Amino acid sequence: MGVFSVLALPLLLLGISGIIYIYQSVRWLLSKSAVQNKVVVITDAISGLGKECSRVFHAGGARLVLCGRTWEKLEALYDALISVTDPSTTYAPKLILLDITDISCIRDVAKEILNCYGCVDILINNASMKVKGAVQSISLELDKKIMDANYFGPITLTKAILPNMISRRTGQIVLINSIQGKIGIPFRAAYAASKHAAVGFFDCLRAEMEEFDISVSTVSPTFICSYHRQPAPGNWEASIWKFFFRKVSYGVHPVEVAEEVLATVSRKKQEVLMANPIPRAAVYIRTFFPELFFAIVASGIREKLKTEEEN
């Protein structure tokens, strides 16, 4: 009886982890089948997250249109994708030069995108720009540049692609946003403002597009970890035990976000918040107890200033 009691919990955990692992594997396979033969446009495909999104959608058999600012990096991504996949089950990606901050050129680029396959099934707005600094130290020109990259660029491209989806009464638009579209964090005012604006726009768009059977999804992670922080093969983070021993850091890896984007597209989820308990709790505190949230943030600023003075 004593031996059984000792082994019961580990066996139970092992059994549950095995079931979860199988469930995740089946969901992964279903997600891949959901994008097969679909025309998928990914902006800023040459970023760490863009590369991972390109990888998972390419492996799923999607017809990719990859957009980025640098042709050499797009070609390198193209070579990396076709070198590791079976050409009989995948499509060679199309490459398009796109600077999401150059608003005046986006409509022409959208026509180029549509010319690739004649339609767009899934648009993934991934491009983003960050800035950190006190409000008074950030120029108005930089504020505008952040808004162009994070708000006006994505909505301009979305509006240019939208008529094609509406005429076909099908399509899906995905915005990869940030938790800072939910809460404002000090010293990131321009970034948080642009992310709040994007959330507001795509929330309205979601309601308006329902009559056309066009899905609108937002995926909001906390900060995205370095692209190079990838678990090595055999590491416990890459095993079934990750379902019980989650990472303590608040950030998420590009691989995790890309897999969630694929799952979001497959299941047509409207909104996803990728956050561990502490930042997730901050979102709820901001919503239901705003005065407490403001007090906590102000306290953190005072502590930061005090530490800087002491140093």
Side-chain angles (χ1 to χ4, degrees):
M1 184 66 179
V3 175
F4 178 78
S5 300
V6 171
L7 294 177
L9 182 59
L11 289 174
L12 178 61
L13 291 175
L14 184 62
I16 295 174
S17 64
I19 293 171
I20 296 176
Y21 182 77
I22 293 171
Y23 167 75
Q24 294 285 356
S25 298
V26 171
R27 194 180 74 165
W28 168 248
L29 292 173
L30 292 175
S31 297
K32 288 177 65 176
S33 64
V35 300
Q36 190 169 15
N37 300 323
K38 299 290 186 181
V39 178
V40 180
V41 178
I42 302 176
T43 63
D44 197 16
I46 57 179
S47 66
L49 176 55
K51 290 176 182 177
E52 291 301 334
C53 286
S54 302
R55 178 184 61 82
V56 296
F57 280 89
H58 183 65
R63 293 181 286 176
L64 290 181
V65 180
L66 305 179
C67 304
R69 298 177 61 179
T70 309
W71 187 256
E72 291 75 15
K73 291 183 178 180
L74 282 172
E75 287 184 323
L77 176 58
Y78 175 94
D79 293 339
L81 291 173
I82 64 175
S83 66
V84 295
T85 52
D86 183 355
S88 65
T89 60
T90 58
Y91 296 90
K94 306 286 187 180
L95 306 180
I96 301 287
L97 278 175
L98 170 63
D99 180 357
I100 202 70
T101 64
D102 191 353
I103 307 300
S104 61
C105 294
I106 291 180
R107 290 193 176 275
D108 290 333
V109 175
K111 293 177 182 177
E112 193 177 346
I113 290 171
L114 289 169
N115 286 337
C116 289
Y117 290 105
C119 68
V120 171
D121 295 307
I122 301 164
L123 170 62
I124 300 176
N125 287 296
N126 170 57
S128 183
M129 181 181 292
K130 298 179 181 179
V131 65
K132 181 179 179 181
V135 169
Q136 66 272 21
S137 69
I138 303 297
S139 68
L140 187 59
E141 289 72 21
L142 185 53
D143 284 335
K144 291 178 179 177
K145 190 173 183 178
I146 295 296
M147 288 298 294
D148 281 345
N150 298 346
Y151 176 69
F152 286 112
I155 74 165
T156 302
L157 181 60
T158 298
K159 286 187 173 187
I161 298 295
L162 209 52
N164 178 268
M165 292 184 174
I166 290 175
S167 66
R168 297 165 54 236
R169 302 189 71 87
T170 184
Q172 186 163 6
I173 300 167
V174 179
L175 171 69
I176 300 178
N177 207 49
S178 168
I179 193 174
Q180 292 187 55
K182 297 287 188 182
I183 55 175
I185 299 177
F187 304 108
R188 294 168 179 82
Y191 181 74
S194 66
K195 294 300 183 179
H196 273 74
V199 166
F201 177 88
F202 283 92
D203 280 354
C204 295
L205 181 66
R206 180 183 298 113
E208 293 180 23
M209 290 300 105
E210 189 167 343
E211 65 172 302
F212 302 109
D213 292 325
I214 297 172
S215 302
V216 177
S217 307
T218 56
V219 178
S220 300
T222 53
F223 74 85
I224 298 176
C225 299
S226 169
Y227 179 68
H228 301 289
R229 286 183 55 193
Q230 184 165 354
N235 187 290
W236 64 267
E237 285 189 333
S239 73
I240 56 178
W241 292 101
K242 73 178 182 180
F243 298 108
F244 293 100
F245 302 97
R246 304 303 299 169
K247 293 188 293 298
V248 176
S249 65
Y250 299 155
V252 288
H253 193 276
V255 172
E256 294 178 84
V257 182
E259 290 175 352
E260 182 56 54
V261 171
L262 180 64
T264 298
V265 168
S266 173
R267 299 166 65 183
K268 295 187 176 181
K269 292 188 280 188
Q270 295 181 335
E271 186 175 54
V272 177
L273 178 62
M274 298 186 69
N276 284 319
I278 292 178
R280 187 178 291 271
V283 173
Y284 290 116
I285 293 172
R286 170 64 181 88
T287 302
F288 297 107
F289 307 100
E291 292 185 359
L292 174 60
F293 176 82
F294 298 145
I296 293 172
V297 172
S299 175
I301 296 296
R302 287 193 295 269
E303 185 65 28
K304 179 179 184 296
L305 294 175
K306 181 180 178 182
T307 302
E308 289 177 350
E309 289 176 357
E310 292 175 349
N311 293 336

